[in-house]
């Protein structure tokens, strides 16, 4: 079991490092990240660091899931996204706010 846990966390660490490096050197495929971050301006240098670490995870479908979690299903194309992740996000956000 120890090796399996070690392998899991090693794989997650490698994926995180690759995401950070790719975000620093590659142009993002989708501009939703820039739109989302522009609507939430930073509040200091720590916020800038956190934003740079989280930016790779704010791409592609993640913003659709965030919008569904915040506002529910508003548009027909959002029904392509299953409700489990947005539901969990809403529950966790309820505990954090």
């Amino acid at each position: 079991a120890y090796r399996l846990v070690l392998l899991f966390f090693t794989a997650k660490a490698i994926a995180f490092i690759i995401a950070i490096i790719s975000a620093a050197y590659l142009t993002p495929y989708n501009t939703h990240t820039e739109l989302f971050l522009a609507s939430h301006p930073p509040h200091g240098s720590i916020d800038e660091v956190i934003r740079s670490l989280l930016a790779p995870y704010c791409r592609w479908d993640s913003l659709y899931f965030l919008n569904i979690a915040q506002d529910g299903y508003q548009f027909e194309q959002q029904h392509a996204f299953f409700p489990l992740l947005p539901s969990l996000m809403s529950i966790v956000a309820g505990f954090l706010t």
Side-chain angles (χ1 to χ4, degrees):
Y2 170 75
R3 288 184 181 181
L4 185 60
V5 171
L6 181 63
L7 179 64
F8 173 79
F9 284 110
T10 302
K12 292 295 179 183
I14 290 170
F16 183 74
I17 291 168
I18 290 171
I20 297 301
I21 292 170
S22 66
Y25 294 105
L26 300 175
T27 304
Y29 169 74
N30 196 333
T31 59
H32 284 118
T33 304
E34 289 76 25
L35 294 174
F36 177 74
L37 294 177
S39 66
H40 299 83
H43 299 292
S45 60
I46 297 293
D47 198 19
E48 284 289 336
V49 171
I50 292 171
R51 291 163 71 100
S52 66
L53 292 175
L54 294 178
Y57 300 101
C58 293
R59 288 190 168 77
W60 299 294
D61 294 342
S62 62
L63 294 178
Y64 292 106
F65 283 114
L66 281 172
N67 287 333
I68 293 168
Q70 289 176 349
D71 304 322
Y73 290 92
Q74 293 182 335
F75 305 104
E76 185 176 330
Q77 64 269 25
Q78 289 178 329
H79 291 284
F81 301 100
F82 293 109
L84 180 61
L85 182 60
S87 299
L88 292 175
M89 292 167 73
S90 294
I91 291 168
V92 171
F95 286 115
L96 296 177
T97 57

